[in-house]
Amino acid sequence: MNGPPSKTPRHGRMLGPGLAMLALGVAGLAVFATRTSPEAPAPSQPAASPETTARAPAMAAIVPAPHPRPAPSAPAPSEPAVSEDDEEDPVVMERREAARESARQYRAGRFNAFFRKAAFIEEFTRQGLARIHGLRDELADVSALRQLPEDARFLEDKPEPVLERMAMIDLLFELAPSERAAREAMTSLALSPIDSGLPDSVKKGLVGEKYDLLFRLAQVDRQLAVDTFAKLENPKLKNLLREALIAGLAESGASPDEVQRMTAHL
């Protein structure tokens, strides 16, 4: 049963990629010894700046405006993710560029006192599903993360590509309460496999993004988040993401007893 989120996360930004990076360091990247393989096919996914401070562990809580209760998550056909054949498709590339630009505008605007977030999200929604699919396709393409140096840091001095991708996840989270396509995009990205052959810096970034996606999805649609977590097949990755699910359910307003009941079978 899905419960309405009481408010957006008090720790939504401090329980995101940063904490996952710490856990990943302890785990020693063994989670990637084999390629993860979700049951359902899915497309593969920012310095002591305000954004870094906002997501760093043990920093001050941020409480944005509460989200409305989402519509039930009924299965629906979803546009296929971008593939290698689509990379030269001008329509696909145009929607991806539009999604990147929207993420940049959102990232720049949300720390501006005059930024009207509700109006921005409303305008974004009016662009239709293509804009949401553009966010999904951008996050599914790891080429930007591949350009990071092997010693890239994720808790401090986040590289620009990481900051930009974080803003895209933020946008999906803002859209998810009212847009099923956004929830589907978050689910598919959380379940997308991580290639064991990727550089460690890329794998760390992807685990952090999956942590953030699952944490936020649990606040919007509890049952969908539980079902998504259950589909993770790699036990070590599942262990890293379990805290994201538990924390997200708690932030959604679920009581400890409800969290225990919903996750007892996992």
Side-chain angles (χ1 to χ4, degrees):
M1 173 178 177
N2 296 339
S6 60
K7 61 177 74 176
T8 41
R10 294 184 300 274
H11 308 293
R13 303 187 182 280
M14 73 182 221
L15 289 173
L19 185 54
M21 295 305 96
L22 290 176
L24 183 59
V26 174
L29 290 174
V31 64
F32 303 109
T34 59
R35 182 185 177 94
T36 58
S37 56
E39 293 180 3
S44 57
Q45 26 238 13
S49 67
E51 293 158 88
T52 300
T53 304
R55 292 194 183 214
M59 303 302 286
I62 296 178
V63 185
H67 288 290
R69 183 188 182 95
S73 302
S78 177
E79 182 175 319
V82 64
S83 67
E84 291 184 4
D85 293 337
D86 292 330
E87 290 181 354
E88 302 302 324
D89 186 327
V91 175
V92 173
M93 301 310 293
E94 182 179 357
R95 79 184 184 193
R96 289 178 60 180
E97 177 55 38
R100 283 195 299 269
E101 181 58 30
S102 294
R104 295 186 192 110
Q105 292 174 3
Y106 176 74
R107 176 185 159 199
R110 60 186 172 172
F111 295 108
N112 186 328
F114 300 100
F115 179 62
R116 298 175 59 202
K117 184 173 72 173
F120 180 89
I121 296 299
E122 181 180 352
E123 175 61 27
F124 187 98
T125 304
R126 278 201 292 265
Q127 304 300 317
L129 295 179
R131 194 63 62 89
I132 295 177
H133 292 152
L135 289 173
R136 179 202 61 193
D137 293 345
E138 274 298 294
L139 287 166
D141 183 354
V142 301
S143 58
L145 294 179
R146 282 180 174 272
Q147 300 173 17
L148 298 177
E150 190 63 29
D151 60 349
R153 300 170 64 89
F154 292 89
L155 295 180
E156 299 175 349
D157 302 325
K158 289 185 174 64
E160 184 64 22
V162 173
L163 291 168
E164 190 169 276
R165 290 171 69 88
M166 289 168 71
M168 293 178 194
I169 294 175
D170 288 343
L171 257 181
L172 284 175
F173 175 60
E174 296 291 346
L175 294 161
S178 58
E179 293 292 333
R180 183 172 59 192
R183 299 195 295 277
E184 290 174 345
M186 295 172 77
T187 298
S188 65
L189 290 165
L191 289 173
S192 61
I194 298 178
D195 191 337
S196 61
L198 290 171
D200 286 354
S201 58
V202 178
K203 291 185 287 192
K204 288 178 182 179
L206 291 175
V207 169
E209 291 177 1
K210 291 179 187 298
Y211 189 103
D212 210 9
L213 285 160
L214 190 61
F215 174 73
R216 290 166 175 268
L217 184 62
Q219 298 166 59
V220 175
D221 191 323
R222 296 175 185 173
Q223 191 58 54
L224 180 59
V226 170
D227 293 343
T228 299
F229 179 83
K231 292 178 180 179
L232 294 169
E233 293 188 344
N234 187 303
K236 293 177 180 177
L237 178 61
K238 205 168 187 177
N239 187 56
L240 288 176
L241 299 185
R242 184 179 299 275
E243 185 177 351
L245 175 65
I246 301 298
L249 291 172
E251 286 294 325
S252 77
S255 68
D257 287 343
E258 288 177 305
V259 173
Q260 174 62 29
R261 176 180 56 79
M262 296 185 72
T263 60
H265 64 290
L266 300 175

